[in-house]
Amino acid sequence: MKKLTAVFFAVIFLFISASATTLDNVIEALRKGDVEKAYYLQKNLPEKEEKLLEILLLLHQDKLTDAELLSGNYIPCNVLYLPGEINALVVNKVTEKLYVIKEKAGVPVIVAEFECVTGKKPGDKLKEGDQRTPEGIYIPLYWRTHLPKIYGPGAFVLNYPNLIDRKILHRGGHGIWIHGMDTPSRPPHSTNGCIVLENKDLKRLKKFITPKETPVIIVDELCKEPFKNFISERNSLVDFVYKWKAAWENSPKDLQTYFSFYSRHFVTDKYNFDSWKKYKKKVTSGKKWIKIKISNLTITRDGRLLSFGRLYLISFDMKYSSNNYNWRGHKLLYVTKEGEKWKILGEESF
């Protein structure tokens, strides 16, 4: 067995030596959070080098400590992709645990864990005043202070209800925050829907959160999945994002391919699919060229299995340029799978 292991690593070493520059470029781009560069570099790798890159990620995973992984080869799969400087939060409502997740060497790992308190009643939030903590993926919009003492040192205001809550699920309510408390502790499941931490823990948690960037995934159960499945799903979604980007850039010549990335049930705050297509045809008629730059790509997975399937949130900073309009901001794509194809169900921007 030892001889076989030695031969295996010797073969890997020879592969790496033969293609070190290309692989090093991909890995370095991943470490810096430049997903676009890594994506295009990886697509140019020979097939054996693509397989080798997966082996390298697995070897990195083996170097991670038991404390950083949930167990064995299972990883927290509610988080699929994170930029180097951005964390994700996963809140388990049942156990009232809040996990901070960071990507290390291409693998999402838990780097911190906090006790928290959630809603008085179990289940997903449906309407105003039902005392439930909503399930889904949310973004902290800003840090708010100068609040009544009950909120402790301050609060992160989440974007509940998000676009899917409003337009697809028709959920009600508002004012879902992550905040502190005015007592040393609180009983389990005692909030009206907010996520509450002891003040000392909230102050620690604050350093992990970047407003308008850090995804907060609220679930009934933390998802665990084999590493191999995670790699396949993540790569498929990254591929989808950059094909969508290319189709948008080419839309002045070919709008139909761009439209094919969207679900028939697609919504924005202003449009449904048909009215959005009319709007896009109108604005694209004046376009001679479009150029899009994506950075800080984040991909997360909703813990629920909804009537239309599993929901994913793909968010990123975007710079849009064209012959007659420029825009820079943060884009959110709500994505699901229809048959074997990824489709955009909703789209909004900050």
Side-chain angles (χ1 to χ4, degrees):
M1 180 61 74
K2 288 183 178 178
K3 287 184 179 179
L4 286 174
T5 303
V7 170
F8 174 73
F9 280 101
V11 171
I12 287 180
F13 177 77
L14 288 173
F15 276 145
I16 292 173
S17 299
S19 56
T21 302
T22 307
L23 284 170
D24 283 349
N25 287 343
V26 176
I27 293 166
E28 184 62 22
L30 286 171
R31 283 175 178 157
K32 290 181 176 179
D34 192 342
V35 184
E36 184 168 10
K37 182 177 179 181
Y39 171 76
Y40 286 112
L41 285 173
Q42 185 174 341
K43 285 182 75 68
N44 292 326
L45 292 178
E47 186 177 351
K48 67 179 182 181
E49 291 181 356
E50 287 186 358
K51 296 296 182 185
L52 179 58
L53 188 59
E54 289 191 19
I55 292 171
L56 285 171
L57 290 174
L58 283 165
L59 291 177
H60 278 296
Q61 185 199 23
D62 290 341
K63 293 176 183 177
L64 297 169
T65 66
D66 289 340
E68 290 176 322
L69 294 171
L70 288 177
S71 62
N73 289 323
Y74 288 81
I75 61 172
C77 61
N78 293 107
V79 179
L80 293 164
Y81 220 116
L82 288 174
E85 301 304 315
I86 300 297
N87 304 296
L89 308 184
V90 178
V91 178
N92 185 325
K93 296 199 314 180
V94 175
T95 62
E96 296 192 303
K97 299 279 189 183
L98 187 155
Y99 302 96
V100 179
I101 295 177
K102 191 173 186 66
E103 191 163 297
K104 290 189 177 183
V107 181
V109 296
I110 296 170
V111 296
E113 180 181 323
F114 299 90
E115 302 284 341
C116 65
V117 184
T118 58
K120 294 173 184 173
K121 294 184 179 178
D124 199 359
K125 188 169 188 63
L126 301 176
K127 60 184 180 180
E128 179 82 22
D130 64 9
Q131 299 180 321
R132 293 182 172 96
T133 300
E135 296 171 33
I137 308 170
Y138 302 99
I139 307 293
L141 297 176
Y142 54 91
W143 170 252
R144 185 173 176 181
T145 57
H146 306 294
L147 292 164
K149 190 178 177 182
I150 190 173
Y151 297 103
F156 284 103
V157 178
L158 301 183
N159 69 325
Y160 176 86
N162 63 26
L163 178 68
I164 300 302
D165 293 323
R166 296 191 303 272
K167 296 293 185 176
I168 302 288
L169 301 176
H170 307 293
R171 303 289 167 88
H174 69 282
I176 301 299
W177 298 353
I178 300 174
H179 65 80
M181 57 181 74
D182 61 349
T183 55
S185 63
R186 285 183 64 156
H189 301 292
S190 62
T191 82
N192 288 325
C194 288
I195 300 155
V196 176
L197 288 82
E198 292 184 13
N199 294 340
K200 62 180 176 60
D201 288 338
L202 182 64
K203 289 175 182 176
R204 283 181 55 215
L205 179 65
K206 193 171 182 285
K207 69 181 181 181
F208 293 108
I209 296 177
T210 303
K212 296 188 179 179
E213 294 273 1
T214 302
V216 179
I217 308 106
I218 307 173
V219 299
D220 260 347
E221 184 179 358
L222 185 65
C223 170
K224 295 184 289 184
E225 194 164 270
F227 184 77
K228 198 171 184 180
N229 296 357
F230 157 81
I231 286 286
S232 174
E233 187 170 64
R234 185 197 68 181
N235 289 354
S236 177
L237 282 160
V238 171
D239 192 56
F240 173 78
V241 172
Y242 285 102
K243 284 178 178 175
W244 164 81
K245 169 185 174 289
W248 193 359
E249 289 175 323
N250 195 47
S251 61
K253 298 178 181 177
D254 178 12
L255 256 177
Q256 293 309 310
T257 298
Y258 174 57
F259 289 153
S260 72
F261 284 80
Y262 290 82
S263 168
R264 287 283 309 165
H265 307 290
F266 172 75
V267 292
T268 73
D269 267 322
K270 291 183 178 179
Y271 303 108
N272 61 24
F273 182 64
D274 291 331
S275 59
W276 173 80
K277 280 178 66 177
K278 289 179 183 177
Y279 163 74
K280 277 293 181 180
K281 285 177 181 177
K282 180 180 178 181
V283 297
T284 306
S285 65
K287 303 292 181 187
K288 296 179 180 178
W289 57 269
I290 295 172
K291 185 66 180 173
I292 296 164
K293 173 69 177 176
I294 287 174
S295 59
N296 288 330
L297 177 67
T298 300
I299 305 176
T300 50
R301 184 164 83 179
D302 197 312
R304 300 166 296 178
L305 186 59
L306 299 164
S307 59
F308 52 80
R310 191 75 68 182
L311 183 67
Y312 299 76
L313 176 63
I314 302 175
S315 64
F316 46 87
D317 295 325
M318 191 179 90
K319 182 180 178 182
Y320 174 98
S321 305
S322 71
N323 57 290
N324 59 7
Y325 182 71
N326 296 317
W327 180 84
R328 185 192 295 264
H330 194 72
K331 176 76 75 175
L332 305 179
L333 302 179
Y334 296 91
V335 175
T336 189
K337 212 166 199 179
E338 296 181 356
E340 294 301 312
K341 293 184 178 180
W342 298 111
K343 296 286 185 177
I344 298 170
L345 185 62
E347 184 174 330
E348 62 181 336
S349 304
F350 293 147

mmCIF file of all heavy atoms in Angstrom, residues 212-236:
data_model
loop_
_atom_site.group_PDB
_atom_site.id
_atom_site.type_symbol
_atom_site.label_atom_id
_atom_site.label_comp_id
_atom_site.label_asym_id
_atom_site.label_seq_id
_atom_site.Cartn_x
_atom_site.Cartn_y
_atom_site.Cartn_z
ATOM 1 N N LYS A 212 -24.300 44.134 1.981
ATOM 2 C CA LYS A 212 -24.605 44.004 0.555
ATOM 3 C C LYS A 212 -23.741 42.960 -0.151
ATOM 4 O O LYS A 212 -23.758 42.889 -1.382
ATOM 5 C CB LYS A 212 -24.506 45.362 -0.161
ATOM 6 C CG LYS A 212 -25.550 46.359 0.340
ATOM 7 C CD LYS A 212 -25.572 47.609 -0.494
ATOM 8 C CE LYS A 212 -26.646 48.564 0.010
ATOM 9 N NZ LYS A 212 -26.693 49.813 -0.762
ATOM 10 N N GLU A 213 -23.009 42.153 0.605
ATOM 11 C CA GLU A 213 -22.164 41.115 0.007
ATOM 12 C C GLU A 213 -22.365 39.754 0.676
ATOM 13 O O GLU A 213 -22.511 38.740 -0.004
ATOM 14 C CB GLU A 213 -20.678 41.507 0.113
ATOM 15 C CG GLU A 213 -20.287 42.733 -0.692
ATOM 16 C CD GLU A 213 -19.918 42.416 -2.121
ATOM 17 O OE1 GLU A 213 -19.973 41.250 -2.504
ATOM 18 O OE2 GLU A 213 -19.585 43.358 -2.875
ATOM 19 N N THR A 214 -22.350 39.711 2.008
ATOM 20 C CA THR A 214 -22.342 38.442 2.746
ATOM 21 C C THR A 214 -23.704 37.746 2.671
ATOM 22 O O THR A 214 -24.695 38.273 3.167
ATOM 23 C CB THR A 214 -21.982 38.684 4.218
ATOM 24 O OG1 THR A 214 -20.703 39.317 4.291
ATOM 25 C CG2 THR A 214 -21.943 37.383 4.996
ATOM 26 N N PRO A 215 -23.791 36.561 2.068
ATOM 27 C CA PRO A 215 -25.074 35.852 2.050
ATOM 28 C C PRO A 215 -25.385 35.236 3.419
ATOM 29 O O PRO A 215 -24.494 34.741 4.105
ATOM 30 C CB PRO A 215 -24.866 34.767 1.001
ATOM 31 C CG PRO A 215 -23.390 34.526 0.972
ATOM 32 C CD PRO A 215 -22.740 35.826 1.333
ATOM 33 N N VAL A 216 -26.651 35.278 3.800
ATOM 34 C CA VAL A 216 -27.134 34.651 5.035
ATOM 35 C C VAL A 216 -28.152 33.596 4.625
ATOM 36 O O VAL A 216 -29.240 33.925 4.151
ATOM 37 C CB VAL A 216 -27.774 35.686 5.979
ATOM 38 C CG1 VAL A 216 -28.286 35.004 7.245
ATOM 39 C CG2 VAL A 216 -26.785 36.788 6.332
ATOM 40 N N ILE A 217 -27.790 32.327 4.780
ATOM 41 C CA ILE A 217 -28.673 31.228 4.387
ATOM 42 C C ILE A 217 -29.350 30.694 5.644
ATOM 43 O O ILE A 217 -28.671 30.202 6.546
ATOM 44 C CB ILE A 217 -27.894 30.102 3.683
ATOM 45 C CG1 ILE A 217 -27.058 30.665 2.532
ATOM 46 C CG2 ILE A 217 -28.843 29.043 3.144
ATOM 47 C CD1 ILE A 217 -25.590 30.730 2.791
ATOM 48 N N ILE A 218 -30.665 30.821 5.726
ATOM 49 C CA ILE A 218 -31.416 30.378 6.903
ATOM 50 C C ILE A 218 -32.111 29.068 6.557
ATOM 51 O O ILE A 218 -32.876 28.992 5.590
ATOM 52 C CB ILE A 218 -32.440 31.441 7.344
ATOM 53 C CG1 ILE A 218 -31.757 32.802 7.529
ATOM 54 C CG2 ILE A 218 -33.117 31.024 8.650
ATOM 55 C CD1 ILE A 218 -32.715 33.956 7.811
ATOM 56 N N VAL A 219 -31.817 28.023 7.348
ATOM 57 C CA VAL A 219 -32.274 26.668 7.011
ATOM 58 C C VAL A 219 -32.834 25.974 8.250
ATOM 59 O O VAL A 219 -32.619 26.394 9.377
ATOM 60 C CB VAL A 219 -31.113 25.828 6.438
ATOM 61 C CG1 VAL A 219 -30.570 26.450 5.165
ATOM 62 C CG2 VAL A 219 -29.992 25.653 7.454
ATOM 63 N N ASP A 220 -33.552 24.876 8.011
ATOM 64 C CA ASP A 220 -33.977 23.983 9.091
ATOM 65 C C ASP A 220 -32.883 22.985 9.433
ATOM 66 O O ASP A 220 -32.834 22.458 10.537
ATOM 67 C CB ASP A 220 -35.247 23.219 8.690
ATOM 68 C CG ASP A 220 -36.494 23.848 9.291
ATOM 69 O OD1 ASP A 220 -36.353 24.697 10.191
ATOM 70 O OD2 ASP A 220 -37.599 23.496 8.862
ATOM 71 N N GLU A 221 -32.025 22.711 8.436
ATOM 72 C CA GLU A 221 -30.956 21.736 8.648
ATOM 73 C C GLU A 221 -29.774 22.092 7.763
ATOM 74 O O GLU A 221 -29.939 22.360 6.569
ATOM 75 C CB GLU A 221 -31.448 20.327 8.307
ATOM 76 C CG GLU A 221 -30.426 19.240 8.590
ATOM 77 C CD GLU A 221 -30.947 17.843 8.263
ATOM 78 O OE1 GLU A 221 -32.126 17.740 7.847
ATOM 79 O OE2 GLU A 221 -30.194 16.885 8.419
ATOM 80 N N LEU A 222 -28.584 22.114 8.330
ATOM 81 C CA LEU A 222 -27.377 22.393 7.570
ATOM 82 C C LEU A 222 -27.137 21.275 6.568
ATOM 83 O O LEU A 222 -27.106 20.099 6.920
ATOM 84 C CB LEU A 222 -26.172 22.520 8.507
ATOM 85 C CG LEU A 222 -24.844 22.918 7.875
ATOM 86 C CD1 LEU A 222 -24.922 24.326 7.299
ATOM 87 C CD2 LEU A 222 -23.723 22.847 8.901
ATOM 88 N N CYS A 223 -26.985 21.624 5.289
ATOM 89 C CA CYS A 223 -26.790 20.635 4.230
ATOM 90 C C CYS A 223 -25.367 20.084 4.287
ATOM 91 O O CYS A 223 -24.407 20.832 4.435
ATOM 92 C CB CYS A 223 -27.055 21.305 2.886
ATOM 93 S SG CYS A 223 -26.593 20.327 1.462
ATOM 94 N N LYS A 224 -25.247 18.764 4.160
ATOM 95 C CA LYS A 224 -23.943 18.112 4.076
ATOM 96 C C LYS A 224 -23.930 17.226 2.839
ATOM 97 O O LYS A 224 -24.899 16.520 2.571
ATOM 98 C CB LYS A 224 -23.677 17.266 5.330
ATOM 99 C CG LYS A 224 -23.564 18.084 6.606
ATOM 100 C CD LYS A 224 -23.209 17.218 7.799
ATOM 101 C CE LYS A 224 -24.364 16.317 8.206
ATOM 102 N NZ LYS A 224 -24.050 15.531 9.421
ATOM 103 N N GLU A 225 -22.847 17.272 2.099
ATOM 104 C CA GLU A 225 -22.814 16.544 0.836
ATOM 105 C C GLU A 225 -21.395 16.082 0.525
ATOM 106 O O GLU A 225 -20.433 16.754 0.888
ATOM 107 C CB GLU A 225 -23.306 17.466 -0.283
ATOM 108 C CG GLU A 225 -23.649 16.752 -1.571
ATOM 109 C CD GLU A 225 -24.488 17.635 -2.478
ATOM 110 O OE1 GLU A 225 -25.733 17.602 -2.387
ATOM 111 O OE2 GLU A 225 -23.888 18.359 -3.283
ATOM 112 N N PRO A 226 -21.241 14.945 -0.181
ATOM 113 C CA PRO A 226 -19.895 14.509 -0.574
ATOM 114 C C PRO A 226 -19.197 15.552 -1.442
ATOM 115 O O PRO A 226 -19.835 16.222 -2.260
ATOM 116 C CB PRO A 226 -20.148 13.226 -1.366
ATOM 117 C CG PRO A 226 -21.475 12.746 -0.899
ATOM 118 C CD PRO A 226 -22.268 13.982 -0.586
ATOM 119 N N PHE A 227 -17.904 15.657 -1.279
ATOM 120 C CA PHE A 227 -17.114 16.654 -1.987
ATOM 121 C C PHE A 227 -17.280 16.547 -3.505
ATOM 122 O O PHE A 227 -17.368 17.554 -4.205
ATOM 123 C CB PHE A 227 -15.640 16.499 -1.594
ATOM 124 C CG PHE A 227 -14.745 17.539 -2.197
ATOM 125 C CD1 PHE A 227 -14.712 18.828 -1.685
ATOM 126 C CD2 PHE A 227 -13.950 17.239 -3.285
ATOM 127 C CE1 PHE A 227 -13.892 19.788 -2.245
ATOM 128 C CE2 PHE A 227 -13.119 18.188 -3.848
ATOM 129 C CZ PHE A 227 -13.088 19.473 -3.331
ATOM 130 N N LYS A 228 -17.344 15.321 -4.012
ATOM 131 C CA LYS A 228 -17.443 15.109 -5.454
ATOM 132 C C LYS A 228 -18.724 15.734 -6.014
ATOM 133 O O LYS A 228 -18.719 16.366 -7.066
ATOM 134 C CB LYS A 228 -17.408 13.609 -5.743
ATOM 135 C CG LYS A 228 -17.075 13.250 -7.169
ATOM 136 C CD LYS A 228 -16.857 11.750 -7.302
ATOM 137 C CE LYS A 228 -16.413 11.390 -8.716
ATOM 138 N NZ LYS A 228 -16.201 9.943 -8.863
ATOM 139 N N ASN A 229 -19.857 15.555 -5.318
ATOM 140 C CA ASN A 229 -21.124 16.144 -5.762
ATOM 141 C C ASN A 229 -21.059 17.666 -5.754
ATOM 142 O O ASN A 229 -21.574 18.341 -6.640
ATOM 143 C CB ASN A 229 -22.265 15.684 -4.855
ATOM 144 C CG ASN A 229 -22.507 14.193 -4.935
ATOM 145 O OD1 ASN A 229 -21.865 13.500 -5.708
ATOM 146 N ND2 ASN A 229 -23.422 13.694 -4.126
ATOM 147 N N PHE A 230 -20.421 18.199 -4.712
ATOM 148 C CA PHE A 230 -20.262 19.641 -4.572
ATOM 149 C C PHE A 230 -19.497 20.223 -5.761
ATOM 150 O O PHE A 230 -19.902 21.220 -6.347
ATOM 151 C CB PHE A 230 -19.536 19.928 -3.253
ATOM 152 C CG PHE A 230 -18.819 21.247 -3.208
ATOM 153 C CD1 PHE A 230 -19.503 22.419 -2.949
ATOM 154 C CD2 PHE A 230 -17.448 21.315 -3.423
ATOM 155 C CE1 PHE A 230 -18.837 23.635 -2.918
ATOM 156 C CE2 PHE A 230 -16.776 22.516 -3.383
ATOM 157 C CZ PHE A 230 -17.475 23.689 -3.133
ATOM 158 N N ILE A 231 -18.375 19.586 -6.135
ATOM 159 C CA ILE A 231 -17.552 20.061 -7.251
ATOM 160 C C ILE A 231 -18.369 20.101 -8.534
ATOM 161 O O ILE A 231 -18.342 21.075 -9.290
ATOM 162 C CB ILE A 231 -16.318 19.156 -7.440
ATOM 163 C CG1 ILE A 231 -15.280 19.417 -6.347
ATOM 164 C CG2 ILE A 231 -15.680 19.364 -8.822
ATOM 165 C CD1 ILE A 231 -14.523 20.707 -6.490
ATOM 166 N N SER A 232 -19.146 19.050 -8.793
ATOM 167 C CA SER A 232 -19.932 18.955 -10.016
ATOM 168 C C SER A 232 -20.980 20.066 -10.089
ATOM 169 O O SER A 232 -21.121 20.733 -11.125
ATOM 170 C CB SER A 232 -20.605 17.581 -10.087
ATOM 171 O OG SER A 232 -21.472 17.510 -11.188
ATOM 172 N N GLU A 233 -21.718 20.273 -9.000
ATOM 173 C CA GLU A 233 -22.772 21.293 -8.993
ATOM 174 C C GLU A 233 -22.182 22.690 -9.089
ATOM 175 O O GLU A 233 -22.673 23.541 -9.831
ATOM 176 C CB GLU A 233 -23.608 21.154 -7.714
ATOM 177 C CG GLU A 233 -24.819 22.065 -7.695
ATOM 178 C CD GLU A 233 -25.752 21.745 -6.537
ATOM 179 O OE1 GLU A 233 -25.331 21.905 -5.365
ATOM 180 O OE2 GLU A 233 -26.886 21.334 -6.805
ATOM 181 N N ARG A 234 -21.115 22.931 -8.341
ATOM 182 C CA ARG A 234 -20.479 24.249 -8.372
ATOM 183 C C ARG A 234 -19.975 24.580 -9.763
ATOM 184 O O ARG A 234 -20.223 25.669 -10.289
ATOM 185 C CB ARG A 234 -19.316 24.288 -7.374
ATOM 186 C CG ARG A 234 -18.675 25.664 -7.269
ATOM 187 C CD ARG A 234 -17.307 25.601 -6.623
ATOM 188 N NE ARG A 234 -16.367 24.919 -7.501
ATOM 189 C CZ ARG A 234 -15.095 24.712 -7.175
ATOM 190 N NH1 ARG A 234 -14.643 25.096 -6.001
ATOM 191 N NH2 ARG A 234 -14.288 24.104 -8.019
ATOM 192 N N ASN A 235 -19.255 23.646 -10.401
ATOM 193 C CA ASN A 235 -18.710 23.912 -11.731
ATOM 194 C C ASN A 235 -19.804 24.157 -12.753
ATOM 195 O O ASN A 235 -19.667 24.994 -13.646
ATOM 196 C CB ASN A 235 -17.815 22.750 -12.171
ATOM 197 C CG ASN A 235 -16.511 22.697 -11.405
ATOM 198 O OD1 ASN A 235 -16.212 23.588 -10.616
ATOM 199 N ND2 ASN A 235 -15.729 21.662 -11.627
ATOM 200 N N SER A 236 -20.907 23.424 -12.621
ATOM 201 C CA SER A 236 -22.031 23.594 -13.537
ATOM 202 C C SER A 236 -22.623 25.001 -13.430
ATOM 203 O O SER A 236 -22.946 25.639 -14.440
ATOM 204 C CB SER A 236 -23.093 22.540 -13.245
ATOM 205 O OG SER A 236 -24.226 22.725 -14.063
#
